[in-house]
Amino acid sequence: MSRIAALLGKELADLRQNPSVFVPAIVTALASLTLPFFVAIVVPAISGERLSDSSDFEIALELYRSQPGMRDLDPETAIQAWIFQQFLILLLLTPVAGSMSVAAYSVIGEKQARTLDPLLATPIRTYELLAAKVLGSLVPWLALTLGWLALYLGATMLVGGPGAYRVLLSGRSLAIVFVLGPLAALAALQLAVCVSSRVNDARSAQQIGALIILPIAGLLVAQVTGSVILSST
């Protein structure tokens, strides 16, 4: 663990010296953060049609009326809560995509800087090196995710309907944030680091590692369209 901690400190120090690697993740996350509010708040205000008057959200209204704790919400707020929860998965996947560039470059960067051979000459084991590389990408992801979640919750409380923010504090939402999100990030970042050790192009490693995101994105689309209804279990 001491060797992993030492390598992790080196990875984080390298990231502090090159903060520009987080710019794509921050820009994409900000765009993802505004999207649910555009759908739930801006579009009804521009069109003059309430969400509860649209037949497109009948599934959402029926779903939330059947859940305990949501029955006391008015129809408009219930649909807003449904939209905010659906986009929660997208908000979690955005930092994963940003951290993917860090993971993909982790070993390739060592090759290009010609520091990999001296590193491998030390007593460190392969799994220790890979663990430090994965953690070096996962720790920034956790920080970004908690930051986006705080902003998302605050914005929901500020502009959402009365009680809409409670959906982000439900067991289902917390499972998405603290179980599904970290597991998806861990799987994607591990894959990107392993691919990074086998190829010489960071973009190839990033693209291959991003494949883990596609099934989760597919579930998001299927759930929003009503094709699949995912319970907490």
Side-chain angles (χ1 to χ4, degrees):
M1 290 302 298
S2 61
R3 290 195 289 262
I4 294 176
L7 281 174
L8 177 59
K10 170 188 172 297
E11 293 293 319
L12 297 178
D14 291 341
L15 290 176
R16 284 195 296 269
Q17 295 176 358
N18 189 23
S20 60
V21 297
F22 297 108
V23 172
I26 294 174
V27 172
T28 309
L30 287 175
S32 301
L33 189 66
T34 58
L35 187 57
F37 297 100
F38 179 80
V39 174
I41 307 296
V42 178
V43 171
I46 294 177
S47 63
E49 181 183 7
R50 291 168 53 88
L51 295 173
S52 55
D53 296 333
S54 175
S55 60
D56 296 332
F57 295 103
E58 288 181 357
I59 296 178
L61 196 56
E62 293 176 2
L63 177 64
Y64 268 94
R65 286 306 184 195
S66 63
Q67 291 186 3
M70 295 294 175
R71 297 169 185 170
D72 56 340
L73 296 179
D74 61 85
E76 188 74 9
T77 302
I79 295 177
Q80 287 183 2
W82 179 82
I83 293 175
F84 294 147
Q85 189 177 57
Q86 300 308 304
F87 279 95
L88 187 62
I89 299 179
L90 178 62
L91 198 66
L92 289 175
L93 291 180
T94 301
V96 175
S99 301
M100 194 76 65
S101 59
V102 179
Y105 190 74
S106 59
V107 180
I108 294 175
E110 300 279 4
K111 295 178 184 178
Q112 294 176 348
R114 300 184 183 276
T115 57
L116 184 59
D117 290 339
L119 185 60
L120 294 177
T122 64
I124 191 171
R125 295 183 175 90
T126 302
Y127 77 87
E128 294 172 341
L129 175 61
L130 294 179
K133 294 294 185 180
V134 171
L135 289 175
S137 305
L138 186 63
V139 169
W141 174 86
L142 291 173
L144 286 172
T145 300
L146 291 177
W148 298 143
L149 182 62
L151 287 175
Y152 195 45
L153 181 61
T156 302
M157 296 175 65
L158 185 63
V159 302
Y165 70 92
R166 290 184 304 186
V167 69
L168 301 180
L169 301 176
S170 65
R172 183 169 179 264
S173 298
L174 294 178
I176 291 174
V177 173
F178 296 106
V179 179
L180 177 61
L183 288 178
L186 190 60
L189 297 178
Q190 285 185 62
L191 183 58
V193 170
C194 291
V195 173
S196 176
S197 66
R198 296 295 183 180
V199 300
N200 294 316
D201 181 14
R203 284 183 293 182
S204 299
Q206 185 176 358
Q207 291 167 358
I208 295 174
L211 290 176
I212 198 73
I213 298 177
L214 293 180
I216 303 177
L219 283 176
L220 171 65
V221 174
Q223 189 173 219
V224 170
T225 57
S227 302
V228 176
I229 303 298
L230 296 178
S231 64
S232 298
T233 304

